[in-house]
Amino acid sequence: LVLITRDSRLISGSDDHTIKFWNITTGVEEGTLSGHSDWVTALAVTNDDSVLASGCRDGSIKIWDANGLAEKFTFSGHRKVVLTLVITSD
């Protein structure tokens, strides 16, 4: 699972339960987010690339500070996998 931000970072979610940030130009990993207990199955980022939302196979959604690479909070309650996330400017 991959998305590319407006500021030219590649963000990948994996079955190893992590989210990684990559520099598209150099290919160097810039950071890793850990905290999901299962596969990361969905990613979405705000228009200004400052907030990342991630969905997980365990039904949770996490909100992250995409610049500071820190978890802000977790939504739990879905009983099944979160497959899609969309962040709108509204």
Side-chain angles (χ1 to χ4, degrees):
L1 174 65
V2 171
L3 68 80
I4 297 175
T5 65
R6 285 176 172 58
D7 64 357
S8 298
R9 290 185 292 174
L10 184 143
I11 304 173
S12 61
S14 177
D15 64 354
D16 70 358
H17 312 181
T18 67
I19 299 164
K20 294 192 180 283
F21 287 72
W22 305 88
N23 181 305
I24 291 176
T25 305
T26 64
V28 172
E29 180 186 328
E30 296 181 336
T32 300
L33 298 174
S34 300
H36 280 295
S37 65
D38 208 331
W39 291 17
V40 177
T41 54
L43 296 171
V45 68
T46 56
N47 284 339
D48 65 359
D49 297 331
S50 66
V51 176
L52 173 72
S54 59
C56 183
R57 189 170 157 182
D58 70 4
S60 68
I61 298 169
K62 290 189 179 287
I63 305 298
W64 308 86
D65 174 344
N67 295 320
L69 299 180
E71 183 178 339
K72 295 175 91 172
F73 44 89
T74 300
F75 296 101
S76 299
H78 288 287
R79 291 180 289 199
K80 295 192 178 185
V81 61
V82 176
L83 293 175
T84 304
L85 295 169
V86 175
I87 299 173
T88 65
S89 59
D90 296 347

